[in-house]
Amino acid sequence: MTRLVVVSNRVSLPEPGGASQGGLAVAINAALRQYSGLWFGWSGQSTPHFTGQIAMQRMDGVTAATVDLEEQDVQEYYNGYANRTLWPLFHYRIDLTAFERSYGSGYARVNARFAETLRPLIEPKDLVWVQDYHLIPLARELRERGVKNAIGFFLHIPWPARELLVTLPRHRQLVEALFHYDVVGFHTEEWLAAFRAYVLYEAGGEELPDGRLSAFGRTVRPVALPIGLDATEFTEMLASETAQQSYQRMEESKLGRRMVLGVDRLDYSKGLEERLLAYERFLTDHPDRRRDVFMLQISTHTRSDVEEYQDISSRLDALSGRINGAFAEMDWIPVRNVHRPHARDELAGIYRAADVCLVTPLRDGMNLVAKEFIAAQSEEDPGVLILSRFAGAASQMKQALIVNPFSQEDVADAISRALRMELSERRERWRALHKGVMEDDVVAWRDAFVKVLQDVAKPRKVDNAAA
C-alpha cells in the first residue's frame, strides 16, 4: 500500500482529555489513520540552535516526526511571514499585513530546513501531501534535493484576488513555487478561480484542455475539494460520558431559554466583534425576545505572540460587557463570554444544546464548526445554522441561513428568523445539511485528493521507466 507523508507547520496528535484540536489537526489525524502514514512538522518547541534532530512518536496509528525550530525561526517564519504577512493578506486584511524582508528570509530558511530534514524520511513510492500557507515553497526545496515523488499541496485558507496578491513583495516567486507541486488543492471553486486568474492574467500562463495550468515552464493541476468532518467519529463522540454531562449542564443552565452559540479561535478573521454588534442589534430590535434568549460565545486564545491578536480579547470583553451592562437584568445576562479552551467531546455536548449556531467569519477557508454543529444536532428538535457567505462551507451548506457578516441588520434578522422557525422547516434544513456532512466527510476529502495525486504520479513512473 502506498504510504502517505503529510507535512504541516505543526504536528498535533490528540491527547486524551486535552483541549479541542484545530480543524486541520483533526482532519489530518483522521486522514492518516487508515494509512501507514507519516506526519512531519514543527514540534511547537524552540531550541538555541537548529540541529535537524527528529523526534518520533506513534499514537492511534499515526507516526509523527517533529523538529524543533530556533527562536529566530519562530519569530520570522511563523509569527512573521506566516501570520503577519500571508494570513492577513489572504483574508483580505491588507491593512494588517506586515511586509518585512526579514520575515521573507525566515520563511525561506525554515522551508529549506524542513526539506533538508524531511528528505531522508521519504521513500521512493511515497505520496507527499503538504498542508497550508506556511509551506508553499516546500516542494521547490524538495525538488532541488532530488525528490521525484508526486507532491501535492492543499491550501486551507482563502486564496486572495490577484489585485490583493500583487501587493505582496515577490508575489510572483510565491506563485511560481506552487508550480513545483503536481496538484494544488483549494476548498472552493472561488479560491481556485482566483488562483487561475493570477496565473492567466498576471503570470502570463495558460489553461490546458485537461484543466491543468501552465506557467513558469511547468504545469500544475488545480482542484477544488472542500474538506469534511470526521463525521462518524464525531457523531459517536456524542454518546460519551463527557459529551452527555456537558449537554446536561448546558440544558440546566439554559433555564428554558434559547441559546445562540458561537465557537471560534480568537482571530480577527472570525468577525467576532461584528457578531456581537449584530446580536446587540437583535436585542435592540426585539425587546420582547430579550429574556427568552442568551448568547454563549466561546473564543479560545491563539497566536498570542502576534501583536495584532493581543488586543482582540480585551476588545471582545469590553463589547460583551457593554451589552450586558445595557441589557442585563438581575436574573438574566444576554452574553456569556468564555475564553477557556474546551475538549472536543465537551464541545460536542455544547453544540447539541444550542438552538442557533452563529458561524459568521468575515473570510474563511472552510470552517468546520458549521459542520460540527450540524453533526451534533438531534433530528427530533434540530437547531438552526446561520452561516457567513464568506466561509468556504457556504458553498456546500446552502440550507443554512446564509448571511452577510458585515451587515448587522442581516445577521440580526437571521437570528430572529432562526428563533421563530417552525420545527418542520428546521428538520427539513437539518436533514439536507446532515446528509452532506456525513457523505462529504474527511475520508472522502482525503481519498479524492490522494486519487488525483496518484493519477498524476502514474505518468511519471512510466516516463521514469522509459528513461
Side-chain angles (χ1 to χ4, degrees), residues 162 193 195-206:
R162 65 187 179 95
F195 175 70
R196 182 189 295 116
Y198 180 98
V199 172
L200 299 182
Y201 303 113
E202 189 66 33
E206 63 175 324

Side-chain angles (χ1 to χ4, degrees), residues 79-127:
N79 291 333
Y81 199 79
N83 290 321
R84 294 195 65 198
T85 303
L86 293 184
W87 177 271
L89 180 62
F90 280 40
H91 286 86
Y92 287 54
R93 290 300 304 270
I94 192 171
D95 58 312
L96 298 178
T97 304
F99 303 116
E100 292 192 22
R101 190 168 298 171
S102 63
Y103 292 169
S105 298
Y107 186 69
R109 181 176 64 251
V110 170
N111 272 271
R113 285 177 166 177
F114 266 40
E116 192 70 32
T117 308
L118 175 62
R119 174 67 186 92
L121 302 180
I122 298 176
E123 300 173 359
K125 294 183 180 180
D126 287 346
L127 297 176

Side-chain angles (χ1 to χ4, degrees), residues 391-420:
S395 64
Q396 289 181 296
M397 307 183 78
K398 299 183 186 301
Q399 295 80 14
L401 298 184
I402 306 298
V403 296
N404 175 4
F406 294 94
S407 169
Q408 294 177 27
E409 291 180 341
D410 197 15
V411 178
D413 289 348
I415 294 172
S416 177
R417 181 182 173 186
L419 292 172
R420 290 184 289 104

Side-chain angles (χ1 to χ4, degrees), residues 187-199:
H187 284 308
T188 71
E189 291 289 347
E190 180 183 350
W191 312 143
L192 191 157
F195 175 70
R196 182 189 295 116
Y198 180 98
V199 172

Side-chain angles (χ1 to χ4, degrees), residues 124-176:
K125 294 183 180 180
D126 287 346
L127 297 176
V128 182
W129 191 3
V130 179
Q131 308 289 329
D132 228 0
Y133 60 104
H134 312 81
L135 302 173
I136 289 174
L138 186 61
R140 180 179 61 205
E141 298 293 338
L142 289 171
R143 299 295 186 207
E144 290 177 356
R145 288 161 177 77
V147 174
K148 304 296 184 183
N149 302 59
I151 309 177
F153 175 83
F154 199 94
L155 184 69
H156 292 268
I157 64 175
W159 183 268
R162 65 187 179 95
E163 292 83 0
L164 283 176
L165 187 57
V166 296
T167 66
L168 177 70
R170 298 177 61 83
H171 57 86
R172 186 179 177 90
Q173 288 86 344
L174 188 76
V175 176
E176 182 180 5

Side-chain angles (χ1 to χ4, degrees), residues 47-343:
T47 180
H49 302 287
F50 181 79
T51 64
Q53 183 175 354
I54 300 172
M56 306 293 287
Q57 181 184 2
R58 186 169 178 83
M59 182 179 294
D60 292 337
V62 178
T63 300
T66 59
V67 294
D68 298 339
L69 294 178
E70 293 179 6
E71 185 59 32
Q72 183 179 359
D73 292 338
V74 176
Q75 294 303 322
E76 294 177 350
Y77 148 79
Y78 181 70
N79 291 333
Y81 199 79
N83 290 321
R84 294 195 65 198
T85 303
L86 293 184
W87 177 271
L89 180 62
F90 280 40
H91 286 86
Y92 287 54
R93 290 300 304 270
I94 192 171
D95 58 312
L96 298 178
T97 304
F99 303 116
E100 292 192 22
R101 190 168 298 171
S102 63
Y103 292 169
S105 298
Y107 186 69
R109 181 176 64 251
V110 170
N111 272 271
R113 285 177 166 177
F114 266 40
E116 192 70 32
T117 308
L118 175 62
R119 174 67 186 92
L121 302 180
I122 298 176
E123 300 173 359
K125 294 183 180 180
D126 287 346
L127 297 176
V128 182
W129 191 3
V130 179
Q131 308 289 329
D132 228 0
Y133 60 104
H134 312 81
L135 302 173
I136 289 174
L138 186 61
R140 180 179 61 205
E141 298 293 338
L142 289 171
R143 299 295 186 207
E144 290 177 356
R145 288 161 177 77
V147 174
K148 304 296 184 183
N149 302 59
I151 309 177
F153 175 83
F154 199 94
L155 184 69
H156 292 268
I157 64 175
W159 183 268
R162 65 187 179 95
E163 292 83 0
L164 283 176
L165 187 57
V166 296
T167 66
L168 177 70
R170 298 177 61 83
H171 57 86
R172 186 179 177 90
Q173 288 86 344
L174 188 76
V175 176
E176 182 180 5
L178 287 170
F179 277 75
H180 291 268
Y181 292 94
D182 298 286
V183 181
V184 173
F186 306 89
H187 284 308
T188 71
E189 291 289 347
E190 180 183 350
W191 312 143
L192 191 157
F195 175 70
R196 182 189 295 116
Y198 180 98
V199 172
L200 299 182
Y201 303 113
E202 189 66 33
E206 63 175 324
E207 186 171 16
L208 303 179
D210 63 359
R212 288 179 299 153
L213 293 173
S214 175
F216 312 108
R218 301 179 183 86
T219 62
V220 68
R221 180 175 297 283
V223 294
L225 295 171
I227 195 170
L229 187 68
D230 55 331
T232 300
E233 292 184 21
F234 187 82
T235 302
E236 292 173 351
M237 189 185 300
L238 288 164
S240 70
E241 183 178 356
T242 300
Q244 291 294 315
Q245 290 177 348
S246 177
Y247 170 73
Q248 291 298 331
R249 284 181 61 192
M250 288 311 309
E251 282 294 311
E252 292 170 4
S253 76
K254 286 167 66 176
L255 296 174
R257 296 186 172 102
R258 313 288 291 283
M259 180 170 75
V260 177
L261 175 66
V263 178
D264 307 83
R265 288 187 301 103
L266 205 56
D267 188 286
Y268 49 77
S269 69
K270 302 301 183 182
L272 300 178
E273 291 171 89
E274 290 82 359
R275 182 184 304 168
L276 281 176
L277 289 170
Y279 178 64
E280 182 182 39
R281 180 62 177 264
F282 165 78
L283 295 176
T284 301
D285 292 348
H286 301 276
D288 58 314
R289 304 299 302 273
R290 291 176 187 170
R291 291 179 55 82
D292 298 332
V293 64
F294 70 92
M295 180 177 183
L296 171 62
Q297 177 60 54
I298 300 173
S299 313
T300 54
H301 289 277
T302 179
R303 300 170 186 162
S304 56
D305 292 337
V306 181
E307 182 180 349
E308 288 78 9
Y309 290 83
Q310 292 172 358
D311 63 344
I312 296 176
S313 178
S314 59
R315 295 203 308 270
L316 200 63
D317 291 345
L319 183 54
S320 62
R322 190 191 82 193
I323 295 171
N324 285 337
F327 294 98
E329 300 180 16
M330 288 188 299
D331 59 348
W332 169 69
I333 297 177
V335 179
R336 302 180 187 179
N337 183 30
V338 178
H339 296 311
R340 180 180 70 82
H342 294 71

Side-chain angles (χ1 to χ4, degrees), residues 8 10-15 20-22 25-26 28-29 39 42 64 66:
S8 65
R10 286 288 300 274
V11 173
S12 177
L13 294 178
E15 297 180 8
S20 176
Q21 293 180 292
V26 171
I28 291 176
N29 273 295
W39 188 1
W42 175 36
T66 59

Side-chain angles (χ1 to χ4, degrees), residues 331-408:
D331 59 348
W332 169 69
I333 297 177
V335 179
R336 302 180 187 179
N337 183 30
V338 178
H339 296 311
R340 180 180 70 82
H342 294 71
R344 200 159 180 246
D345 49 359
E346 187 178 7
L347 274 177
I350 297 173
Y351 285 131
R352 171 62 70 88
D355 299 281
V356 179
C357 186
L358 280 173
V359 181
T360 54
L362 305 181
R363 186 74 56 172
D364 218 342
M366 175 52 61
N367 197 301
L368 291 177
V369 168
K371 299 187 176 185
E372 289 179 340
F373 172 74
I374 292 299
Q377 290 302 296
S378 164
E379 184 174 8
E380 286 73 27
D381 188 20
V384 179
L385 174 64
I386 298 176
L387 181 59
S388 166
R389 64 173 299 172
F390 302 116
S395 64
Q396 289 181 296
M397 307 183 78
K398 299 183 186 301
Q399 295 80 14
L401 298 184
I402 306 298
V403 296
N404 175 4
F406 294 94
S407 169
Q408 294 177 27

